[in-house]
Amino acid sequence: MDEALEAMPERFREGIQQVMQPLVERGLPPALSVGVVATLFGLSIPFIRAISLNPGKYYREFTIRKGKKDRRISAPKVALKLLQSWIGTHLSHSVKLDDCVFGFVPGRNGVIEAARRHSEARWVYSLDLRDFFPSVKIDRVESALVELGYSINSASFIATLCTLNQALPQGSPASPVLSNLVFANTDKALVQIATEEGVRYTRYADDLVFSGQGIVPPLLQDRVCACLVDHGWEIAPEKESLVELPKRLKVHGLLVHGVTPRLTKGYRNRIRAYRHLFAAEKIQPADLDKVKGHLSYALQVEKVPQ
């Protein structure tokens, strides 16, 4: 921080330090203004201002296939990606989220740890939110940043750098942590519902899961849906489901009606085939990284302690 202040005009240093120091001490990115960010990164003020005035110019658009649907990706170009990565990384490491959140949280083992929370379940109620990142509008990002301690002007500046067409873009490195921040109050409300109903709750991005070892609380689904609507979220009804034993209970693709999460039979067979081909060095070079990813994931699941 001393080096950054030294690089700024002397007449501004004291005022900037008073605002910057509390953020730096908390590990929050001190993205106070165009001038401060330009100084921190050694870039010109006109360049940073140009990005903040017309962020859409600094994205490239493309489509990827996910399942049976195409997903539109808005990926920031190098300069903007650098700024968003800096903001997202510092926020994700400095902001404490509720322990029900497992998506994009450093130190938490994502879907495996989330599934473990639901071990020995007798039923699983899961639902997804529709268009999660695009549904997080810029005003909600600004409000979440103000709650963290940013001024209104700084929050507006950060939100402008990290949104596209007034919403979080699918493809920005800052979108995951900002969506978690915006959803934090909803998480608190859902945790309260889960506690009152005596059930378990986890969230990975837009995938919400509730489970229990007793009977399904009769008001749970209505309370959860009402809570989400009240907080301004739209549920994807085609992805809402309640499954009870003796049917297979899955959370993030893992079976959870045992002591620890387990791979499904179909996936175990797939892994067995991959291991055989890998040992025989019969994996095509183009498929090697994908296969290694599957083998690593299976090994993590198999090592989950009881």
Side-chain angles (χ1 to χ4, degrees):
M1 187 176 70
D2 291 341
E3 293 178 2
L5 292 171
E6 186 68 25
M8 295 174 188
E10 186 173 355
R11 64 185 184 278
F12 297 139
R13 288 177 193 169
E14 184 176 351
I16 291 174
Q17 182 177 7
Q18 291 177 353
V19 181
M20 181 185 290
Q21 188 161 349
L23 297 175
V24 173
E25 289 176 350
R26 294 174 56 196
L28 297 171
L32 303 178
S33 64
V34 169
V36 171
V37 169
T39 301
L40 289 172
F41 281 85
L43 299 171
S44 71
I45 288 178
F47 179 61
I48 300 298
R49 182 176 290 115
I51 293 177
S52 66
L53 291 175
N54 187 16
K57 181 180 176 182
Y58 298 88
Y59 286 86
R60 57 189 183 92
E61 306 278 342
F62 58 92
T63 301
I64 62 172
R65 192 74 172 174
K66 184 178 181 182
K68 298 180 179 179
K69 296 183 178 180
D70 291 331
R71 171 173 289 184
R72 188 71 175 172
I73 302 296
S74 300
K77 295 180 181 179
V78 175
L80 182 54
K81 183 177 182 180
L82 176 65
L83 297 176
Q84 292 177 349
S85 295
W86 173 68
I87 291 168
T89 298
H90 282 284
L91 286 175
S92 65
H93 282 86
S94 59
V95 176
K96 180 174 175 55
L97 297 168
D98 194 284
D99 63 5
C100 67
V101 183
F102 288 92
F104 321 113
V105 181
R108 297 184 189 175
N109 196 7
V111 297
I112 299 175
E113 193 173 343
R116 186 183 178 190
R117 286 284 184 92
H118 299 279
S119 294
E120 299 187 276
R122 298 190 62 81
W123 56 267
V124 169
Y125 171 51
S126 60
L127 64 164
D128 281 16
L129 305 177
R130 190 178 301 286
D131 300 325
F132 185 42
F133 286 172
S135 71
V136 180
K137 303 304 181 184
I138 189 170
D139 59 329
R140 301 186 75 169
V141 176
E142 292 173 352
S143 296
L145 292 169
V146 169
E147 285 186 29
L148 279 182
Y150 287 95
S151 69
I152 294 175
N153 288 339
S154 295
S156 178
F157 172 59
I158 295 171
T160 298
L161 287 180
C162 296
T163 56
L164 176 65
N165 299 324
Q166 302 290 301
L168 291 181
Q170 186 77 45
S172 164
S175 290
V177 65
L178 289 174
S179 66
N180 277 341
L181 289 177
V182 171
F183 205 84
N185 288 331
T186 310
D187 279 323
K188 291 178 183 177
L190 293 173
V191 167
Q192 181 65 29
I193 291 173
T195 300
E196 292 172 357
E197 298 288 355
V199 303
R200 298 170 291 193
Y201 163 65
T202 63
R203 180 176 64 84
Y204 187 98
D206 60 347
D207 191 351
L208 287 63
V209 180
F210 298 81
S211 74
Q213 297 175 325
I215 63 170
V216 182
L219 298 179
L220 177 65
Q221 290 177 260
D222 289 343
R223 293 189 67 186
V224 168
C225 291
C227 175
L228 292 171
V229 172
D230 287 346
H231 282 77
W233 306 104
E234 183 181 356
I235 300 168
E238 69 277 8
K239 294 185 178 180
E240 183 182 7
S241 69
L242 173 62
V243 182
E244 302 180 62
L245 290 176
K247 294 182 178 178
R248 295 192 312 169
L249 304 183
K250 292 195 296 183
V251 173
H252 308 310
L254 296 173
L255 300 174
V256 294
H257 46 273
V259 177
T260 58
R262 308 185 312 282
L263 300 173
T264 63
K265 182 178 180 181
Y267 196 82
R268 290 199 306 271
N269 291 338
R270 184 179 179 185
I271 291 299
R272 190 178 299 113
Y274 280 157
R275 284 172 175 162
H276 175 74
L277 292 172
F278 187 81
E281 298 184 350
K282 292 183 178 180
I283 305 293
Q284 295 296 319
D287 297 326
L288 191 56
D289 287 343
K290 181 182 74 172
V291 170
K292 284 183 177 179
H294 282 291
L295 294 178
S296 175
Y297 173 71
L299 190 60
Q300 291 180 62
V301 175
E302 292 166 356
K303 288 184 176 180
V304 172
Q306 296 189 8

